[in-house]
């Protein structure tokens, strides 16, 4: 009797099952790869956006920077040093709001490096509520809503107090007052006291 040998070839159904399995595996792999690519792209966009925010200052100085020497006068020779730096700030074009309550100021010259504290109990300072040595405050506000956030179309005048005597800024001395908001790049203000100090001085 003739014996039939078992066929080792795929049937059409087996081939279809294998093909479907390959297609499913390829589809899942492609989905994973595309998902990882989209995630990477999103993270890259976030990093770029964050970098632009940190590299661009949200705040600019509006107008002149003044040095106030009132209160440091010597009986014989007049004012002998600037004890307060006064300037106005506003948001740069397209800049986001800045919470001044979370902003840091640092003063530096040839001999002094000091962090200035915010007079948090003085939202608007003046002669009747002068901030202490090495403190800063908001001297005045324009188009503002009364809080410590610098927003679009608002302008705020800042007074940064140095200390009397040895801590005051002498004539012809260069200094840097750096403003560092919680978001955005630092704003360095580099100025020089005039050779002859009056009660109120424009710093160059």
């Amino acid at each position: 009797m003739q014996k039939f040998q078992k066929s080792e070839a795929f049937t059409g159904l087996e081939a279809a099952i294998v093909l479907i399995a390959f297609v499913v595996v390829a589809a899942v792999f492609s989905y994973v790869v595309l998902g990882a690519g989209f995630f990477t792209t999103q993270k890259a966009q976030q990093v770029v956006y964050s970098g632009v925010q940190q590299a661009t200052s949200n705040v600019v100085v509006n107008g002149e920077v003044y040095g106030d020497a009132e209160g440091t006068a010597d009986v014989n020779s007049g004012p002998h040093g600037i004890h307060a730096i006064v300037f106005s700030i506003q948001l740069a074009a397209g800049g986001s709001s800045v919470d001044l309550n979370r902003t840091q100021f640092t003063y530096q010259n040839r001999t002094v490096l000091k962090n200035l504290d915010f007079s948090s109990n003085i939202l608007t300072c003046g002669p009747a509520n002068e901030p202490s040595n090495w403190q800063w405050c908001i001297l005045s506000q324009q188009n503002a809503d009364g809080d410590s956030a610098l927003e679009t179309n608002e302008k705020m005048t800042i007074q940064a107090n140095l200390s009397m005597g040895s801590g005051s800024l002498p004539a012809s001395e260069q200094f840097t007052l750096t403003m560092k908001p919680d978001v955005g790049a630092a704003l360095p203000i580099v100025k020089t006291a005039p050779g002859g100090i009056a009660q109120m001085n424009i710093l160059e």
Side-chain angles (χ1 to χ4, degrees):
M1 178 180 291
Q2 185 178 5
K3 295 182 179 180
F4 293 95
Q5 294 182 347
K6 185 177 180 180
S7 175
E8 299 293 337
F10 278 164
T11 64
L13 179 59
E14 291 171 331
I17 292 173
V18 172
L19 180 61
I20 291 172
F22 275 114
V23 171
V24 171
V25 171
V28 172
F29 181 73
S30 300
Y31 177 79
V32 171
V33 172
L34 288 175
F38 289 142
F39 176 77
T40 303
T41 301
Q42 184 180 19
K43 295 298 290 185
Q45 289 176 339
Q46 291 176 352
V47 170
V48 171
Y49 180 73
S50 176
V52 170
Q53 274 192 318
Q54 294 299 324
T56 305
S57 177
N58 290 337
V59 182
V60 294
V61 175
N62 181 277
E64 301 286 357
V65 177
Y66 298 92
D68 183 2
E70 188 175 355
T72 66
D74 184 276
V75 175
N76 298 318
S77 59
H80 61 71
I82 291 170
H83 87 284
I85 300 166
V86 181
F87 58 97
S88 296
I89 56 174
Q90 64 184 31
L91 291 181
S96 56
S97 63
V98 172
D99 185 1
L100 294 182
N101 196 33
R102 300 173 62 185
T103 299
Q104 297 177 345
F105 281 86
T106 302
Y107 172 84
Q108 181 177 10
N109 63 15
R110 290 185 300 110
T111 58
V112 177
L113 175 60
K114 293 283 290 187
N115 292 324
L116 278 65
D117 297 322
F118 179 42
S119 297
S120 56
N121 60 329
I122 306 175
L123 185 58
T124 302
C125 55
N129 48 3
E130 184 80 10
S132 302
N133 294 341
W134 304 116
Q135 288 189 334
W136 68 275
C137 67
I138 301 171
L139 186 61
S140 64
Q141 304 181 22
Q142 294 183 19
N143 303 321
D145 50 13
D147 59 18
S148 61
L150 180 63
E151 299 169 330
T152 304
N153 297 325
E154 293 183 353
K155 183 169 74 171
M156 295 190 183
T157 301
I158 303 298
Q159 177 175 322
N161 272 19
L162 312 181
S163 68
M164 300 294 186
S166 61
S168 59
L169 180 67
S172 304
E173 180 81 11
Q174 186 181 74
F175 72 93
T176 301
L177 182 66
T178 303
M179 175 182 178
K180 181 63 177 73
D182 58 337
V183 176
L187 173 65
I189 301 172
V190 182
K191 296 292 181 179
T192 302
I197 296 180
Q199 291 296 324
M200 185 61 70
N201 309 268
I202 297 179
L203 305 179
E204 300 295 338

